[in-house]
Amino acid sequence: QVQLVESGGGLVQPGGSLRLSCAVSGFTLEHYTMGWFRQAPGKEREGISCISSSDGDTYVSDSVEGRFTISRDNAKNTVYLQMNSLKPEDSAVYYCAAAGINLCVLLIHEYNLWGQGTLVTVSS
């Protein structure tokens, strides 16, 4: 059974850090490009970072560049999103997703496997 399970969300103060994890099962992580997306209330789902299956190439969106870092550990079947210098506007449900391609792109329609999401709230 294919599963993507996010964890690590929670309440954090502005300027704080969180590390999200996405544990996958039922498929071979190294064969998939992985992405992190987020969706705030009333807003569209936004792609924020991805890491390719082929060479580990990464991309982060302008909104989180310099603050968020994506990584993967294929041996542990886990993808991570390190989030530093968090801002209130980073508050959202964060989703990890898998795409059966070898390029790092944040096109939602390319991702056919999704987790249930983990809530991140940045507030004082």
Side-chain angles (χ1 to χ4, degrees):
Q1 182 179 2
V2 171
Q3 280 192 311
L4 294 82
V5 180
E6 303 94 336
S7 62
L11 174 64
V12 63
Q13 291 187 342
S17 298
L18 285 174
R19 187 176 80 156
L20 305 184
S21 299
C22 174
V24 310
S25 59
F27 64 97
T28 305
L29 180 63
E30 64 181 309
H31 295 161
Y32 285 77
T33 286
M34 299 299 294
W36 283 97
F37 297 77
R38 68 185 181 187
Q39 189 165 19
K43 295 189 176 181
E44 293 186 353
R45 191 165 296 190
E46 171 193 15
I48 56 174
S49 191
C50 58
I51 184 165
S52 72
S53 63
S54 55
D55 56 6
D57 184 35
T58 62
Y59 171 80
V60 291
S61 68
D62 290 345
S63 60
V64 303
E65 187 174 11
R67 301 187 297 121
F68 290 13
T69 304
I70 191 172
S71 62
R72 62 194 298 159
D73 186 333
N74 291 334
K76 294 184 177 180
N77 292 322
T78 303
V79 180
Y80 304 97
L81 185 68
Q82 178 66 44
M83 307 188 296
N84 299 326
S85 302
L86 283 161
K87 305 175 181 180
E89 52 263 42
D90 293 319
S91 297
V93 177
Y94 283 70
Y95 300 90
C96 72
I101 58 176
N102 60 10
L103 294 177
C104 176
V105 293
L106 287 173
L107 300 173
I108 289 179
H109 66 267
E110 292 286 356
Y111 291 80
N112 58 335
L113 302 174
W114 290 82
Q116 293 300 306
T118 185
L119 178 64
V120 172
T121 303
V122 185
S123 175
S124 54

